[in-house]
Amino acid sequence: MKLIDMLKKPIYFGLFLVLSILMFFVYSYVQIIGIIENFFFWLGVSPPLYIVSLVLFSLLFGLAVSFQIFIRKETKVCKTSKGIKGAGASGVGTIGFIFVSSCPACATLGLVFIPVSFVSVIAQYNWLINLVSIGLLLFTLNYLGAFKN
């Protein structure tokens, strides 16, 4: 699989680890509203399924971004005179979706942009939004050809 070929290269494996850890800690930092001392308390009160989905999401995020960089840098069939427009910005929407919609602690930030009734729906169904986000990351990896030989 191309994904395993990418992970065999130390630079991309390191990128995967850094991005995964960074996503986990940035997401956690937003959840605890910047109070570092609350990190272990937050881990203690969070349901185990939520923590597992957060770790899975962070790993898939690191894989998807590092694989996209791998595809862009390593695999060239022919020379292109112009760069692909818009391919680098595709992760911006995903990151925005993560921090605004699946994070109940971000509800105060969300109130600035969306109605209160919608924020309460988001807080109630954040597990479903996390599940959809994980599915989208798996779809992205499949679409990029990560599971092909």
Side-chain angles (χ1 to χ4, degrees):
M1 287 192 307
K2 289 182 181 178
L3 187 63
I4 293 174
D5 293 339
M6 181 216 45
L7 290 174
K8 286 180 182 176
K9 297 187 177 193
I11 186 86
Y12 294 108
F13 184 75
L15 183 64
F16 154 68
L17 286 178
V18 166
L19 288 171
S20 296
I21 292 169
L22 183 69
M23 175 53 75
F24 180 81
F25 282 115
V26 166
Y27 194 90
S28 300
Y29 185 79
V30 169
Q31 289 287 327
I32 59 175
I33 312 171
I35 304 170
I36 304 297
E37 293 80 18
N38 288 345
F39 178 72
F40 293 107
F41 174 75
W42 172 72
L43 284 177
V45 298
S46 296
L49 184 61
Y50 179 77
I51 299 298
V52 168
S53 69
L54 174 60
V55 169
L56 181 62
F57 179 82
S58 298
L59 291 173
L60 286 173
F61 179 82
L63 276 176
V65 173
S66 59
F67 190 73
Q68 188 172 13
I69 292 169
F70 170 75
I71 292 294
R72 186 168 175 95
K73 299 274 185 194
E74 297 289 325
T75 57
K76 300 287 183 191
V77 176
C78 60
K79 289 187 175 185
T80 57
S81 59
K82 296 181 181 178
I84 300 171
K85 304 280 189 221
S90 62
V92 173
T94 304
I95 293 170
F97 182 71
I98 295 161
F99 289 121
V100 174
S101 62
S102 65
C103 167
C106 302
T108 54
L109 176 64
L111 286 174
V112 175
F113 302 110
I114 54 180
V116 176
S117 60
F118 191 66
V119 171
S120 63
V121 169
I122 289 171
Q124 184 177 3
Y125 294 107
N126 68 342
W127 63 271
L128 184 61
I129 294 171
N130 281 339
L131 189 64
V132 169
S133 298
I134 289 169
L136 285 172
L137 285 170
L138 286 171
F139 173 77
T140 300
L141 285 169
N142 185 44
Y143 184 75
L144 289 172
F147 306 118
K148 294 180 182 176
N149 288 327

